[in-house]
Amino acid sequence: MTNWSVDHCNEHTKSIRIVLITGRTIAQGSFAGHGKGWFDYTREVSTIVLSEEDMQSLKVSPGQAVRVKGQRGEAICICKKGDLPQGVGFLPYGRTANILAGSDTAATGMPIYKGLVVAVEA
Amino acid sequence: MDPERSITERIVQPERTVGPERTIEGVACTFCGCVCDDIRVTVRQNEVIGVERACTLGRAYLMRPQHGEGVTTPRVNGKEVSLECALAEASSILSRSKYPLIFGLSNTTIEAQKVAVRLAELIGASIDSTSSVCHGPGTLAKQYIGEPTSSLGEVMNRADLVIFWGSNPAESHPRHMSRYSVMRPGLYVPRGRKDRTVVVVDVRKTPSARAADLFLRIEPWSDYRILSNLIRLVKLTPVHELTPVHGSHVHWSQIEALKECSDESGEDREGRLPTPDTLQRLASLMTSCRYGALFYGVGLTMSRGGMMNVTAALRLVRELNNFTRFVIIPMRGHGNVAGIDNVLAWRTGYPFAVNFSRGFPRFGPGEFSAVDLLCRGEPDAVVVIAADPVSSLPVSAAEHLKRVPTVVIDPYVSPTTEIASVVLPCAKAGISASGTYYRMDNVPVPLKRLVASVYPSDEEILGSIVARIESAMTGRREVDAR
Ligand code: SF4
């Protein structure tokens, strides 16, 4: 597995580059079923899951806010520890993911939602 | 409800039946592509008060109150108006527009979808569904390779090898494994789960991976490479060596060998890159099963080169059919997203991203697909049916929606209804409107109308807009003729 995060770790700003995967979670799906205005929905779609190693490099603990910078925009997310390889992050589908996703569809109609390279700053 | 009452009358004089509790069996849940039609629903006074057998997602969706927090009154520019007035404004916006877009359509009935295609033809619009931002690249791949497929019932009765690639059914389609693909006993797999081997291939260890016999963790962007390697390995396999052993569906020796091989290479069951040996053994597991099913999710379509990923998966399954029966089925997300692909294909010849601006259908993913059109700022009016593009499309696409007149037909308030010029509340398909949905395997499932609604269905609203625009056009032609 390519170690994205260590390659691109910046000691001074505590910033790492990761490959971000967005996807469905049960909580996100049920909140969407209930109605998206819910506070819980917003919290769920703004929670980024990181590997233990990446959280250590960033020196953040679960529940702390991090800044996630994509090609098109940036967003503040709450971080959470998950069973992921180092250098890979996960964010549920939603408005935050759409801020980070680019608009290039490579003539397929589909922007890239999985495998986005983003910077995460503590 | 009297069908003769006009849709505008109905919203002024709401009809609410008052009665005792009723339990309705065999209700279809319309939230995800599984469209489970074995749900038991209890209703009282036009509200769903109980849901049994559905998963968490289905229950949340079916129980969501119909009228309390929904869009209760039609609105034009934020002001409450009569339905008549909202329909007139919507028709006038669309008649005036030069390059409109019709988007959404994955959570409505095929009857409404047919009328939406008619509307697109009438006003020379581009029409695209949320399919383009979920399995669109996969649909393009199918046009090149074809799709060796089957119904979910066939998988349930026959499949002894089930592979989920880039898909996490435990969270996206929670009843898929229990109702169709893994747990349920079938005709040729009478012991259900015990007779099946389940493999999950994914970038992260999902809850579905925990339920599998084998989980192969792969690197992001490596799907195409791994699928191509598998194709090569399958092609190199001599057919005579791998005639399936009839009467036995157990591949335990093979799966154990596969696990061991992963362990030996230092990549445990949650391992990282599958080694060449792992792939070789996975290939022989695939070629020697009696009936294999590969379910692919948006893990293949939403990453870079989505179309090529699915092309490789389809080619792999095509090759596997030289050895055994193997099928491939996309894990379609929204309830009726398979329906809109079908309806558009019957009506226009193309499954999504269709444009009628020249009076005949043209297909153009990247050109007429919603994200591309909106990001380039081209449409001068947008109709959104049963979707929430402000939340679900990239921000630059959503920004354009705020700049142009937007007509939204939706049973609920959403960020898209907030910015809409015209909001038309409608009955919810499968709850207060009947119709047909297509399951992910393209099997049509009829929907019951469980409760009465004061709101017209999407089909009625779209039909009314079409009728208004047609009569205005006829009027204009008559004046021109005179
Ligand atoms: S699996 Fe899908 S269709 Fe079935 S009950 Fe759950 S949400 Fe509804």
Side-chain angles (χ1 to χ4, degrees), chain B residues 29-36 39 53-59 172-176 179:
Chain B
C29 167
T30 53
F31 186 74
C32 83
C34 285
V35 197
C36 303
I39 312 292
R53 300 196 193 116
C55 66
T56 319
L57 301 180
R59 192 170 306 115
S172 58
H173 303 76
R175 293 186 78 217
H176 191 280
R179 188 166 144 78

PDB file of all heavy atoms in Angstrom, chain B residues 29-36 39 53-59 172-176 179, ligand 1:
ATOM      1  N   CYS B  29     -40.888  -1.436  -0.220  1.00  0.00           N
ATOM      2  CA  CYS B  29     -40.124  -0.284   0.273  1.00  0.00           C
ATOM      3  C   CYS B  29     -39.404   0.304  -0.937  1.00  0.00           C
ATOM      4  O   CYS B  29     -38.776  -0.419  -1.705  1.00  0.00           O
ATOM      5  CB  CYS B  29     -39.119  -0.735   1.323  1.00  0.00           C
ATOM      6  SG  CYS B  29     -37.896   0.531   1.707  1.00  0.00           S
ATOM      7  N   THR B  30     -39.480   1.604  -1.083  1.00  0.00           N
ATOM      8  CA  THR B  30     -38.930   2.224  -2.295  1.00  0.00           C
ATOM      9  C   THR B  30     -37.643   2.993  -2.045  1.00  0.00           C
ATOM     10  O   THR B  30     -37.208   3.773  -2.872  1.00  0.00           O
ATOM     11  CB  THR B  30     -39.979   3.177  -2.918  1.00  0.00           C
ATOM     12  OG1 THR B  30     -40.404   4.085  -1.896  1.00  0.00           O
ATOM     13  CG2 THR B  30     -41.152   2.424  -3.463  1.00  0.00           C
ATOM     14  N   PHE B  31     -37.023   2.771  -0.896  1.00  0.00           N
ATOM     15  CA  PHE B  31     -35.839   3.583  -0.575  1.00  0.00           C
ATOM     16  C   PHE B  31     -34.614   3.209  -1.414  1.00  0.00           C
ATOM     17  O   PHE B  31     -33.976   4.051  -2.002  1.00  0.00           O
ATOM     18  CB  PHE B  31     -35.508   3.489   0.920  1.00  0.00           C
ATOM     19  CG  PHE B  31     -34.392   4.419   1.320  1.00  0.00           C
ATOM     20  CD1 PHE B  31     -34.622   5.780   1.416  1.00  0.00           C
ATOM     21  CD2 PHE B  31     -33.110   3.949   1.570  1.00  0.00           C
ATOM     22  CE1 PHE B  31     -33.596   6.658   1.763  1.00  0.00           C
ATOM     23  CE2 PHE B  31     -32.079   4.811   1.917  1.00  0.00           C
ATOM     24  CZ  PHE B  31     -32.330   6.172   2.021  1.00  0.00           C
ATOM     25  N   CYS B  32     -34.280   1.905  -1.439  1.00  0.00           N
ATOM     26  CA  CYS B  32     -33.077   1.543  -2.203  1.00  0.00           C
ATOM     27  C   CYS B  32     -33.420   0.555  -3.321  1.00  0.00           C
ATOM     28  O   CYS B  32     -34.559   0.112  -3.447  1.00  0.00           O
ATOM     29  CB  CYS B  32     -31.988   0.992  -1.275  1.00  0.00           C
ATOM     30  SG  CYS B  32     -32.157  -0.743  -0.877  1.00  0.00           S
ATOM     31  N   GLY B  33     -32.416   0.215  -4.110  1.00  0.00           N
ATOM     32  CA  GLY B  33     -32.625  -0.619  -5.288  1.00  0.00           C
ATOM     33  C   GLY B  33     -33.093  -2.041  -5.007  1.00  0.00           C
ATOM     34  O   GLY B  33     -33.436  -2.769  -5.940  1.00  0.00           O
ATOM     35  N   CYS B  34     -33.107  -2.444  -3.730  1.00  0.00           N
ATOM     36  CA  CYS B  34     -33.609  -3.799  -3.413  1.00  0.00           C
ATOM     37  C   CYS B  34     -35.126  -3.879  -3.568  1.00  0.00           C
ATOM     38  O   CYS B  34     -35.679  -4.952  -3.789  1.00  0.00           O
ATOM     39  CB  CYS B  34     -33.272  -4.174  -1.973  1.00  0.00           C
ATOM     40  SG  CYS B  34     -31.562  -4.583  -1.725  1.00  0.00           S
ATOM     41  N   VAL B  35     -35.812  -2.737  -3.403  1.00  0.00           N
ATOM     42  CA  VAL B  35     -37.279  -2.652  -3.456  1.00  0.00           C
ATOM     43  C   VAL B  35     -37.920  -3.897  -2.794  1.00  0.00           C
ATOM     44  O   VAL B  35     -38.685  -4.630  -3.426  1.00  0.00           O
ATOM     45  CB  VAL B  35     -37.809  -2.434  -4.903  1.00  0.00           C
ATOM     46  CG1 VAL B  35     -39.248  -1.946  -4.895  1.00  0.00           C
ATOM     47  CG2 VAL B  35     -36.958  -1.425  -5.656  1.00  0.00           C
ATOM     48  N   CYS B  36     -37.615  -4.118  -1.531  1.00  0.00           N
ATOM     49  CA  CYS B  36     -38.152  -5.283  -0.801  1.00  0.00           C
ATOM     50  C   CYS B  36     -39.676  -5.180  -0.768  1.00  0.00           C
ATOM     51  O   CYS B  36     -40.221  -4.179  -0.285  1.00  0.00           O
ATOM     52  CB  CYS B  36     -37.629  -5.292   0.633  1.00  0.00           C
ATOM     53  SG  CYS B  36     -35.849  -5.306   0.732  1.00  0.00           S
ATOM     54  N   ILE B  39     -42.824  -6.071   2.995  1.00  0.00           N
ATOM     55  CA  ILE B  39     -42.928  -5.252   4.209  1.00  0.00           C
ATOM     56  C   ILE B  39     -44.383  -5.241   4.708  1.00  0.00           C
ATOM     57  O   ILE B  39     -45.313  -5.241   3.902  1.00  0.00           O
ATOM     58  CB  ILE B  39     -42.457  -3.795   3.918  1.00  0.00           C
ATOM     59  CG1 ILE B  39     -41.120  -3.779   3.163  1.00  0.00           C
ATOM     60  CG2 ILE B  39     -42.410  -2.946   5.177  1.00  0.00           C
ATOM     61  CD1 ILE B  39     -39.925  -4.237   3.904  1.00  0.00           C
ATOM     62  N   ARG B  53     -40.417  -5.688   9.219  1.00  0.00           N
ATOM     63  CA  ARG B  53     -39.530  -6.398   8.288  1.00  0.00           C
ATOM     64  C   ARG B  53     -38.577  -5.487   7.523  1.00  0.00           C
ATOM     65  O   ARG B  53     -37.653  -5.962   6.907  1.00  0.00           O
ATOM     66  CB  ARG B  53     -40.309  -7.237   7.256  1.00  0.00           C
ATOM     67  CG  ARG B  53     -41.175  -8.292   7.908  1.00  0.00           C
ATOM     68  CD  ARG B  53     -41.606  -9.337   6.892  1.00  0.00           C
ATOM     69  NE  ARG B  53     -42.662 -10.149   7.451  1.00  0.00           N
ATOM     70  CZ  ARG B  53     -43.887 -10.205   6.982  1.00  0.00           C
ATOM     71  NH1 ARG B  53     -44.211  -9.551   5.897  1.00  0.00           N
ATOM     72  NH2 ARG B  53     -44.789 -10.957   7.575  1.00  0.00           N
ATOM     73  N   ALA B  54     -38.806  -4.192   7.524  1.00  0.00           N
ATOM     74  CA  ALA B  54     -37.890  -3.316   6.773  1.00  0.00           C
ATOM     75  C   ALA B  54     -36.608  -3.122   7.570  1.00  0.00           C
ATOM     76  O   ALA B  54     -36.575  -3.337   8.780  1.00  0.00           O
ATOM     77  CB  ALA B  54     -38.546  -1.971   6.519  1.00  0.00           C
ATOM     78  N   CYS B  55     -35.536  -2.691   6.880  1.00  0.00           N
ATOM     79  CA  CYS B  55     -34.288  -2.387   7.587  1.00  0.00           C
ATOM     80  C   CYS B  55     -34.371  -0.970   8.162  1.00  0.00           C
ATOM     81  O   CYS B  55     -35.380  -0.280   7.984  1.00  0.00           O
ATOM     82  CB  CYS B  55     -33.130  -2.479   6.606  1.00  0.00           C
ATOM     83  SG  CYS B  55     -33.213  -1.215   5.342  1.00  0.00           S
ATOM     84  N   THR B  56     -33.308  -0.542   8.828  1.00  0.00           N
ATOM     85  CA  THR B  56     -33.309   0.783   9.456  1.00  0.00           C
ATOM     86  C   THR B  56     -33.605   1.879   8.426  1.00  0.00           C
ATOM     87  O   THR B  56     -34.366   2.802   8.693  1.00  0.00           O
ATOM     88  CB  THR B  56     -31.912   1.069  10.071  1.00  0.00           C
ATOM     89  OG1 THR B  56     -31.463  -0.123  10.680  1.00  0.00           O
ATOM     90  CG2 THR B  56     -31.942   2.188  11.049  1.00  0.00           C
ATOM     91  N   LEU B  57     -32.970   1.748   7.255  1.00  0.00           N
ATOM     92  CA  LEU B  57     -33.164   2.792   6.238  1.00  0.00           C
ATOM     93  C   LEU B  57     -34.614   2.795   5.757  1.00  0.00           C
ATOM     94  O   LEU B  57     -35.235   3.842   5.627  1.00  0.00           O
ATOM     95  CB  LEU B  57     -32.247   2.542   5.033  1.00  0.00           C
ATOM     96  CG  LEU B  57     -30.751   2.491   5.272  1.00  0.00           C
ATOM     97  CD1 LEU B  57     -30.012   2.245   3.963  1.00  0.00           C
ATOM     98  CD2 LEU B  57     -30.277   3.789   5.881  1.00  0.00           C
ATOM     99  N   GLY B  58     -35.138   1.598   5.479  1.00  0.00           N
ATOM    100  CA  GLY B  58     -36.497   1.487   4.972  1.00  0.00           C
ATOM    101  C   GLY B  58     -37.512   1.992   5.985  1.00  0.00           C
ATOM    102  O   GLY B  58     -38.460   2.694   5.639  1.00  0.00           O
ATOM    103  N   ARG B  59     -37.285   1.649   7.253  1.00  0.00           N
ATOM    104  CA  ARG B  59     -38.228   2.071   8.285  1.00  0.00           C
ATOM    105  C   ARG B  59     -38.241   3.598   8.388  1.00  0.00           C
ATOM    106  O   ARG B  59     -39.294   4.222   8.426  1.00  0.00           O
ATOM    107  CB  ARG B  59     -37.869   1.434   9.633  1.00  0.00           C
ATOM    108  CG  ARG B  59     -38.969   1.615  10.660  1.00  0.00           C
ATOM    109  CD  ARG B  59     -38.752   0.796  11.919  1.00  0.00           C
ATOM    110  NE  ARG B  59     -38.550  -0.608  11.631  1.00  0.00           N
ATOM    111  CZ  ARG B  59     -37.418  -1.271  11.860  1.00  0.00           C
ATOM    112  NH1 ARG B  59     -36.396  -0.656  12.411  1.00  0.00           N
ATOM    113  NH2 ARG B  59     -37.311  -2.542  11.573  1.00  0.00           N
ATOM    114  N   SER B 172     -25.507   0.054   2.544  1.00  0.00           N
ATOM    115  CA  SER B 172     -26.226   0.732   1.465  1.00  0.00           C
ATOM    116  C   SER B 172     -27.523   0.009   1.093  1.00  0.00           C
ATOM    117  O   SER B 172     -28.502   0.640   0.699  1.00  0.00           O
ATOM    118  CB  SER B 172     -25.335   0.851   0.227  1.00  0.00           C
ATOM    119  OG  SER B 172     -24.924  -0.427  -0.196  1.00  0.00           O
ATOM    120  N   HIS B 173     -27.534  -1.320   1.203  1.00  0.00           N
ATOM    121  CA  HIS B 173     -28.726  -2.115   0.869  1.00  0.00           C
ATOM    122  C   HIS B 173     -28.860  -3.167   1.978  1.00  0.00           C
ATOM    123  O   HIS B 173     -28.577  -4.361   1.746  1.00  0.00           O
ATOM    124  CB  HIS B 173     -28.551  -2.834  -0.474  1.00  0.00           C
ATOM    125  CG  HIS B 173     -28.246  -1.926  -1.631  1.00  0.00           C
ATOM    126  ND1 HIS B 173     -27.021  -1.356  -1.837  1.00  0.00           N
ATOM    127  CD2 HIS B 173     -29.034  -1.495  -2.649  1.00  0.00           C
ATOM    128  CE1 HIS B 173     -27.055  -0.609  -2.930  1.00  0.00           C
ATOM    129  NE2 HIS B 173     -28.259  -0.677  -3.434  1.00  0.00           N
ATOM    130  N   PRO B 174     -29.271  -2.750   3.179  1.00  0.00           N
ATOM    131  CA  PRO B 174     -29.118  -3.652   4.336  1.00  0.00           C
ATOM    132  C   PRO B 174     -29.803  -5.013   4.239  1.00  0.00           C
ATOM    133  O   PRO B 174     -29.373  -5.955   4.882  1.00  0.00           O
ATOM    134  CB  PRO B 174     -29.702  -2.832   5.487  1.00  0.00           C
ATOM    135  CG  PRO B 174     -29.565  -1.418   5.034  1.00  0.00           C
ATOM    136  CD  PRO B 174     -29.758  -1.439   3.553  1.00  0.00           C
ATOM    137  N   ARG B 175     -30.835  -5.161   3.406  1.00  0.00           N
ATOM    138  CA  ARG B 175     -31.485  -6.478   3.341  1.00  0.00           C
ATOM    139  C   ARG B 175     -31.036  -7.297   2.129  1.00  0.00           C
ATOM    140  O   ARG B 175     -31.569  -8.383   1.890  1.00  0.00           O
ATOM    141  CB  ARG B 175     -33.012  -6.323   3.332  1.00  0.00           C
ATOM    142  CG  ARG B 175     -33.552  -5.786   4.656  1.00  0.00           C
ATOM    143  CD  ARG B 175     -35.049  -5.789   4.674  1.00  0.00           C
ATOM    144  NE  ARG B 175     -35.641  -7.075   4.916  1.00  0.00           N
ATOM    145  CZ  ARG B 175     -36.770  -7.505   4.338  1.00  0.00           C
ATOM    146  NH1 ARG B 175     -37.389  -6.746   3.464  1.00  0.00           N
ATOM    147  NH2 ARG B 175     -37.258  -8.688   4.622  1.00  0.00           N
ATOM    148  N   HIS B 176     -30.088  -6.784   1.385  1.00  0.00           N
ATOM    149  CA  HIS B 176     -29.662  -7.497   0.176  1.00  0.00           C
ATOM    150  C   HIS B 176     -29.132  -8.879   0.519  1.00  0.00           C
ATOM    151  O   HIS B 176     -29.518  -9.889  -0.070  1.00  0.00           O
ATOM    152  CB  HIS B 176     -28.589  -6.668  -0.538  1.00  0.00           C
ATOM    153  CG  HIS B 176     -28.257  -7.150  -1.901  1.00  0.00           C
ATOM    154  ND1 HIS B 176     -27.418  -8.213  -2.127  1.00  0.00           N
ATOM    155  CD2 HIS B 176     -28.661  -6.731  -3.129  1.00  0.00           C
ATOM    156  CE1 HIS B 176     -27.322  -8.417  -3.433  1.00  0.00           C
ATOM    157  NE2 HIS B 176     -28.063  -7.528  -4.059  1.00  0.00           N
ATOM    158  N   ARG B 179     -32.037 -11.129   2.169  1.00  0.00           N
ATOM    159  CA  ARG B 179     -33.220 -11.436   1.364  1.00  0.00           C
ATOM    160  C   ARG B 179     -32.896 -12.059   0.012  1.00  0.00           C
ATOM    161  O   ARG B 179     -33.666 -12.856  -0.506  1.00  0.00           O
ATOM    162  CB  ARG B 179     -34.021 -10.145   1.167  1.00  0.00           C
ATOM    163  CG  ARG B 179     -35.364 -10.322   0.524  1.00  0.00           C
ATOM    164  CD  ARG B 179     -36.202  -9.078   0.685  1.00  0.00           C
ATOM    165  NE  ARG B 179     -37.036  -8.818  -0.465  1.00  0.00           N
ATOM    166  CZ  ARG B 179     -38.175  -9.446  -0.733  1.00  0.00           C
ATOM    167  NH1 ARG B 179     -38.618 -10.371   0.077  1.00  0.00           N
ATOM    168  NH2 ARG B 179     -38.867  -9.153  -1.803  1.00  0.00           N
TER     169      ARG B 179
HETATM  170  S1  SF4 C   1     -32.990  -3.063   1.867  1.00  0.00           S
HETATM  171 FE1  SF4 C   1     -33.627  -1.223   0.771  1.00  0.00          FE
HETATM  172  S2  SF4 C   1     -35.641  -1.716  -0.091  1.00  0.00           S
HETATM  173 FE2  SF4 C   1     -35.191  -3.269   1.492  1.00  0.00          FE
HETATM  174  S3  SF4 C   1     -36.152  -2.456   3.339  1.00  0.00           S
HETATM  175 FE3  SF4 C   1     -34.018  -1.738   3.360  1.00  0.00          FE
HETATM  176  S4  SF4 C   1     -34.072   0.270   2.361  1.00  0.00           S
HETATM  177 FE4  SF4 C   1     -36.004  -0.746   1.892  1.00  0.00          FE
END
